[in-house]
Amino acid sequence: MTYDCIIVGGGLAGLQAAIQLGRYNRSTLVVDAGDGRSTLCRRYNNILGWPEGVSGKSLREAGREQALAHGVRFVQGKAARAEQTQDGFRIMTEAGDIAIGRRLLLATGVVDRLPDLPGLAECLGTSIYVCPDCDGYEATGQPSLILGAGDAGASMALTVRYWTDKLTYVNHERSPVDAALRERMEEQGIHCIEEPIARIETSGADGSVMTGITLQDGRQLQASTGFTAFGGNEVRAELAEQLGVQLFKNRHILVDARTRMTSVPGVWAAGDIVAHSEQTVIAMGDGSQAAIWMHKTLLHEELLARIPQPEPFVDLRI
């Protein structure tokens, strides 16, 4: 069977695209490895309509049920190979399953590099966060810890300083920190500790509330919120590279601003894999926008040649 559309990635961007394509009555297959960011986050706090927050698990389950109701099919597995064919694209999973589709959406996401610390996984999204734009607010005026490494952790500390002046940066890996960053932290009253973390201290029946950390030397630090920044996150761009898709220098995928199509006609990208702010609502919007234009080009094949190539943009990271 040749599908109208194949989506690689069953996170929030991929599911939103699947729902939209299902409502177009497009035959759609989602290939999902089931190990993205949304499988870990226990609470998203900045989504319209969810003032008390909602878990990634809940959103994924609801999205999958909604997509299934519109005839979308799912296959569990990690996509290992992507090839362009005369009529579209071929995806092969690690288990050897093969799917062929006329249009392809890459929603493969990003995987955060997190150490294997007792208590960390239980607190993700409830009291320990990875995104200051999403959750810096939760630290407002509170004693907070930055759990990180090197420059990545220092930069996170300087960002979170906007919300609280009660900050300690724990350089877990004792990685070098740029002298200018150290000077800025000192100027802003951010204390820096060069010591590995032994475990996260928690409370609550499910252990989801961080109360502090214990360092390997036995010292304990108390805090009500924490942020991770270890650097070296995995940008899952392997399939894009196999297809010759244009990437930004940090390996995120460049797309046309209007349609979300990549530099390869017939291949779209959505969610955190795209070069933009890594936000849940943006990922869902990406998925919907990509699906709209996948449908349009299936109706009018000539549109593929009219969608402009992605434009390079200025790197505004600080």
Side-chain angles (χ1 to χ4, degrees), residues 41 43-46 125 128-140 163 227 279:
C41 184
R43 189 167 70 215
Y44 292 103
N45 298 295
N46 64 335
I128 297 180
Y129 311 100
V130 300
C131 173
D133 295 311
C134 305
D135 296 306
Y137 172 85
E138 308 301 325
T140 302
W163 286 277
F227 292 80
Q279 293 272 310

Side-chain angles (χ1 to χ4, degrees), residues 218-237:
R219 283 181 291 170
Q220 292 189 326
L221 305 176
Q222 294 183 337
S224 56
T225 58
F227 292 80
T228 65
F230 291 91
N233 292 346
E234 178 191 357
V235 182
R236 292 183 160 174

Side-chain angles (χ1 to χ4, degrees), residues 6-11 29-36 39 60 64 73-81 91-99 105 107-108 236 239:
I6 296 176
I7 300 170
V8 181
L29 176 70
V30 178
V31 181
D32 182 24
D35 61 354
T39 66
R60 286 173 65 96
R64 184 183 176 101
R73 297 182 63 183
F74 287 79
V75 61
Q76 187 73 27
K78 183 176 180 179
R81 291 292 306 170
I91 298 296
M92 178 179 292
T93 70
E94 288 182 341
D97 297 317
I98 295 176
L105 171 63
T108 43
R236 292 183 160 174
L239 299 181

Side-chain angles (χ1 to χ4, degrees), residues 23-71:
R23 292 174 62 84
Y24 284 132
N25 295 318
R26 290 293 180 186
S27 59
T28 302
L29 176 70
V30 178
V31 181
D32 182 24
D35 61 354
R37 275 176 165 171
S38 57
T39 66
L40 299 176
C41 184
R42 296 169 66 93
R43 189 167 70 215
Y44 292 103
N45 298 295
N46 64 335
I47 301 177
L48 175 68
W50 299 94
E52 302 303 320
V54 59
S55 71
K57 181 176 183 289
S58 296
L59 287 175
R60 286 173 65 96
E61 289 176 350
R64 184 183 176 101
E65 288 181 12
Q66 193 170 349
L68 286 168
H70 289 296

Side-chain angles (χ1 to χ4, degrees), residues 155 158 179-190 318:
S155 296
L158 290 165
L181 290 175
R182 282 193 179 277
E183 183 177 352
R184 288 176 60 194
M185 285 195 294
E186 290 175 4
E187 291 173 351
Q188 297 191 37
I190 300 170
I318 295 176

Side-chain angles (χ1 to χ4, degrees), residues 77-196:
K78 183 176 180 179
R81 291 292 306 170
E83 301 172 351
Q84 192 161 9
T85 67
Q86 183 175 352
D87 301 317
F89 303 91
R90 179 186 296 112
I91 298 296
M92 178 179 292
T93 70
E94 288 182 341
D97 297 317
I98 295 176
I100 298 173
R102 296 169 63 194
R103 300 290 184 268
L104 175 63
L105 171 63
L106 300 177
T108 43
V110 174
V111 177
D112 297 284
R113 186 172 75 87
L114 298 171
D116 185 17
L117 294 175
L120 178 58
E122 290 80 2
C123 293
L124 287 175
T126 58
S127 51
I128 297 180
Y129 311 100
V130 300
C131 173
D133 295 311
C134 305
D135 296 306
Y137 172 85
E138 308 301 325
T140 302
Q142 302 297 315
S144 299
L145 297 173
I146 306 301
L147 316 177
D151 290 350
S155 296
M156 176 67 81
L158 290 165
T159 299
V160 177
R161 177 63 178 79
Y162 173 82
W163 286 277
T164 182
D165 60 359
K166 304 176 180 68
L167 268 181
T168 299
Y169 168 34
V170 181
N171 189 0
H172 173 68
E173 297 175 352
R174 297 173 174 169
S175 306
V177 176
D178 181 78
L181 290 175
R182 282 193 179 277
E183 183 177 352
R184 288 176 60 194
M185 285 195 294
E186 290 175 4
E187 291 173 351
Q188 297 191 37
I190 300 170
H191 184 47
C192 184
I193 294 178
E194 307 279 342
E195 179 69 24

